């Protein structure tokens, strides 16, 4: 986990999210990249170097946020991107090779009923980079217990599990697996990937309509410090693949949520 990206939005919680990311990066000796996107529409008569001016202003804003946190010796690189946030994420990834994205659920959307806003939702939906979603109110501390929820034990590439391997090794994380048998399950789905099984401290099987309902039913008895799910088109965030915004009435999580994925 060498390179971690934190997209910075306009939320008042940005400083706390950045501090969380720095504390997390410090544990792994990771480099941190913070990025803020801006949109500049070119019109006739614009000052020739207007993009440089706006980029500098954006970088200054990032520096202002950075001045409010304890960097703890972590290397932090600032990036201002002219364009869509998602394109900015991809550009930073192409340049540096990002291993993990850390973001808050609502990087821009301020509506109280929203869990994943338009920006954060699109990042989770449209990138193949593992993403750690940190709800407001969380401060980083080593995870002691984790719950991995899934409806199929099939993991096509073991590289998807790399973040779990690192968390397990670093924090001696106690990982419990929750296999949710949905109505459409197959016998193959019940076969747990050997690497995932080796990482776990226990396996629980439940029958529910969706993985999400299985988590709701068994969350309290597990009381995890972190919830882990897989980025699948018909997985935990089924509705996320239909839209970028996720409302709290559809999903609410007060602990960090790690969405596992792997670059193509």
């Amino acid at each position: 986990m060498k390179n971690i990206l934190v997209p910075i939005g306009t939320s008042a919680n940005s400083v706390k999210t950045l501090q969380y990311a720095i504390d997390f990066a410090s544990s792994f000796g990771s480099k941190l990249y913070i990025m803020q996107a801006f949109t500049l529409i070119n019109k006739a008569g614009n000052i020739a170097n207007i993009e440089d001016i706006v980029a500098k202003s954006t970088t200054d804003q990032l520096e202002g946020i950075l001045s409010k946190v304890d960097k703890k010796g972590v290397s932090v690189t600032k990036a201002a991107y002219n364009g869509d946030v998602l394109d900015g994420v991809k550009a930073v990834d192409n340049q540096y090779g990002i291993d993990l994205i850390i973001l808050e659920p609502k990087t821009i959307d301020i509506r109280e009923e929203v869990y994943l806003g338009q920006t954060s939702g699109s990042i989770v939906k449209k990138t193949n980079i593992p993403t750690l979603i940190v709800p407001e109110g969380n401060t980083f501390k080593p995870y002691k217990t984790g719950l991995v929820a899934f409806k199929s034990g099939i993991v096509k590439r073991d590289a998807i599990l790399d973040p779990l391997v690192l968390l397990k090794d670093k924090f001696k994380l106690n990982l419990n697996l929750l296999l949710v048998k949905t109505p459409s399950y197959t016998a193959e789905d019940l076969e747990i990937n050997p690497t995932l099984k080796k990482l776990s401290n226990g396996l629980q099987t439940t029958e529910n309509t969706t993985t999400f309902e299985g988590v709701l039913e068994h969350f309290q008895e597990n009381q995890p410090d972190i919830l882990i799910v897989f980025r699948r088109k018909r997985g935990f965030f089924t509705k996320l693949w239909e839209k970028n915004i996720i409302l709290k009435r559809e999903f609410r999580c007060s602990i960090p949520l790690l969405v596992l994925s792997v670059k193509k």
Side-chain angles (χ1 to χ4, degrees), residues 147-153 176-183 185-192 196-197 200-211 213-215 217-219 221-222:
L147 178 64
V148 187
F150 54 94
K151 69 175 185 179
S152 174
N176 295 313
L177 305 184
L178 179 65
L179 172 58
V180 183
K181 293 169 62 176
T182 61
Y185 84 91
T186 66
E188 188 178 17
D189 290 327
L190 304 183
E191 295 294 326
I192 310 299
L196 179 59
K197 192 172 184 179
S200 72
N201 295 88
L203 170 65
Q204 187 174 14
T205 302
T206 182
E207 293 190 32
N208 297 90
T209 304
T210 64
T211 309
E213 290 181 4
V215 170
E217 182 179 336
H218 296 279
F219 189 86
E221 64 185 87
N222 284 276

Side-chain angles (χ1 to χ4, degrees), residues 4-263:
I4 298 174
L5 172 64
V6 184
I8 302 293
T10 58
S11 166
N13 194 53
S14 295
V15 172
K16 292 181 180 179
T17 302
L18 179 56
Q19 186 64 65
Y20 189 103
I22 287 174
D23 295 345
F24 184 96
S26 178
S27 296
F28 290 93
S30 308
K31 293 182 179 179
L32 203 66
Y33 298 85
I34 60 176
M35 182 212 72
Q36 190 168 57
F38 63 92
T39 301
L40 183 65
I41 300 174
N42 292 322
K43 294 182 179 179
N46 274 353
I47 302 173
N49 63 342
I50 189 68
E51 182 173 344
D52 292 338
I53 294 172
V54 177
K56 184 180 184 307
S57 176
T58 303
T59 302
D60 289 345
Q61 290 178 34
L62 289 175
E63 187 60 45
I65 294 173
L66 193 57
S67 69
K68 298 176 182 178
V69 300
D70 179 1
K71 293 194 289 185
K72 297 187 174 180
V74 173
S75 170
V76 181
T77 299
K78 304 181 294 295
Y81 183 80
N82 181 11
D84 180 80
V85 175
L86 185 60
D87 290 335
V89 168
K90 293 177 180 178
V92 174
D93 180 35
N94 288 336
Q95 183 172 358
Y96 298 107
I98 299 302
D99 301 304
L100 179 71
I101 297 172
I102 296 180
L103 51 74
E104 56 186 309
K106 297 183 292 183
T107 51
I108 291 180
D109 202 313
I110 60 173
R111 286 179 292 163
E112 179 58 31
E113 72 271 18
V114 169
Y115 172 70
L116 279 186
Q118 180 74 25
T119 302
S120 52
S122 65
I123 290 173
V124 176
K125 173 182 176 181
K126 297 176 181 177
T127 69
N128 289 308
I129 303 172
T131 302
L132 181 63
I133 303 168
V134 183
E136 186 176 355
N138 281 267
T139 55
F140 177 75
K141 56 184 178 181
Y143 311 121
K144 295 180 180 179
T145 61
L147 178 64
V148 187
F150 54 94
K151 69 175 185 179
S152 174
I154 301 170
V155 179
K156 293 183 179 180
R157 296 176 61 185
D158 280 356
I160 293 174
L161 302 172
D162 285 350
L164 280 188
V165 174
L166 292 172
L167 291 176
K168 181 86 173 180
D169 290 345
K170 174 61 66 174
F171 304 127
K172 310 304 178 187
L173 182 64
N174 187 327
L175 276 178
N176 295 313
L177 305 184
L178 179 65
L179 172 58
V180 183
K181 293 169 62 176
T182 61
S184 61
Y185 84 91
T186 66
E188 188 178 17
D189 290 327
L190 304 183
E191 295 294 326
I192 310 299
N193 172 277
T195 302
L196 179 59
K197 192 172 184 179
K198 187 176 180 180
L199 288 170
S200 72
N201 295 88
L203 170 65
Q204 187 174 14
T205 302
T206 182
E207 293 190 32
N208 297 90
T209 304
T210 64
T211 309
F212 174 60
E213 290 181 4
V215 170
L216 287 180
E217 182 179 336
H218 296 279
F219 189 86
Q220 287 301 322
E221 64 185 87
N222 284 276
Q223 295 188 334
D225 298 319
I226 183 171
L227 177 63
I228 302 106
V229 299
F230 293 92
R231 182 191 180 278
R232 288 169 171 159
K233 289 187 176 180
R234 298 189 178 276
F236 184 75
F237 274 135
T238 301
K239 291 186 178 181
L240 181 59
W241 313 123
E242 302 169 4
K243 57 186 179 181
N244 294 331
I245 292 177
I246 295 295
L247 301 178
K248 286 180 179 177
R249 67 172 179 266
E250 297 166 346
F251 174 72
R252 187 169 191 145
C253 184
S254 60
I255 64 172
L257 171 67
L258 175 61
V259 183
L260 295 175
S261 186
V262 67
K263 296 180 182 179

